[in-house]
Amino acid sequence: MLSILIPTYNYNVYPLVLELHKQCLECQIEFEILVQDDASKSELNLENEKINLVSNCHFFCAETNLGRGENRNSLANRAHHNWFLFLDCDTFPTDSNFIKNYIEVIVQCKPNVIYGGLAYKNEKPKKEEILRWVYGKKREAKSIEERKRNPSFALTSNLAILSEVFCEIKFDSSIKNYGYEDLIFISELEKNNIQIEQIDNCVYHLNLENSEHFLEKTEIALRTLHTISKNDLYKTETQVTKYYSQIKRYKIDLFLLFIFRKFKRVLKKNLLSNNPSLFVFDLYKLGFFTEISNY
């Protein structure tokens, strides 16, 4: 029936596994929960080893770093059931009927792919975590109504997929660095006319990085996007690549680069403040992408 696949890196997944295990038992389904650490060598894996003591649950450690996409592929290769549920390690169901909700949709609607959604808690986090929280609530935590208007929107942090579909469309193993592996995966589903069933079955995103670390990860992701955008196989347009193409067409990219370098510190000051602006964040991303595109 269901293989729950959780890639992790330097994170304690044991509480999440216990909750999912409890819900699966209540549903009386055939299931397994597979977790794989991507060679973090973390002390937290001592906690994760407890997963192996729970029935139908297994924890593995990759010997070398596989990357976010290939770690998911590796878990899928170990799975035995006809449905895969991918969950990020730092998520947690918002509902005690989380697994039941997925099972009902699988049985009744017989879809190929299901996206349950992502949520963020309303409590404002510490100052140093504000940027990640604001971005998540505004850009990732789409309501079910918004997602139904844009049914191709999905994140792989809470995605169920029929195993035979996944065997045809896997994560791109060539993307080793952080960023956009989920965008490529979702775009490949779209190219193959595989529809995503949107349901209201969210998980909380719990692990808020501090703003400086999130900005550093954003820069890494933009470098990944720059590499991807040069690959003719992938024509997926993001907001950044769309606007960069426009400024390139009008030959104002060097002017934008000059402005970005002049005001980069001012932009970062806002983003690391207690009241970061997503408009400023978008400007920063476009400026940084312009910078790495003009090396």
Side-chain angles (χ1 to χ4, degrees), residues 44-91:
L44 293 175
N45 286 339
L46 293 174
E47 281 295 303
N48 289 330
E49 288 288 350
K50 295 179 183 177
I51 293 169
N52 291 316
L53 302 176
V54 183
S55 62
N56 300 331
C57 299
H58 304 279
F59 173 71
F60 312 95
C61 289
E63 294 184 5
T64 58
N65 186 263
L66 301 173
R68 288 163 58 88
E70 187 58 21
N71 197 20
R72 288 179 171 87
N73 290 340
S74 177
L75 281 165
N77 289 337
R78 294 178 182 272
H80 297 95
H81 296 299
N82 63 328
W83 271 91
F84 299 160
L85 172 57
F86 286 101
L87 291 172
D88 277 0
C89 61
D90 56 356
T91 61

Side-chain angles (χ1 to χ4, degrees), residues 219 260 264 268 271 280-288:
E219 292 179 354
F260 175 69
K264 187 175 183 179
K268 286 187 75 170
L271 296 176
V280 171
F281 186 56
D282 290 339
L283 287 178
Y284 186 92
K285 289 168 65 178
L286 181 58
F288 186 83

Side-chain angles (χ1 to χ4, degrees), residues 8-19:
T8 186
Y9 186 90
N10 190 29
Y11 198 83
N12 178 10
V13 197
Y14 187 57
L16 172 61
V17 169
L18 290 181
E19 174 63 23

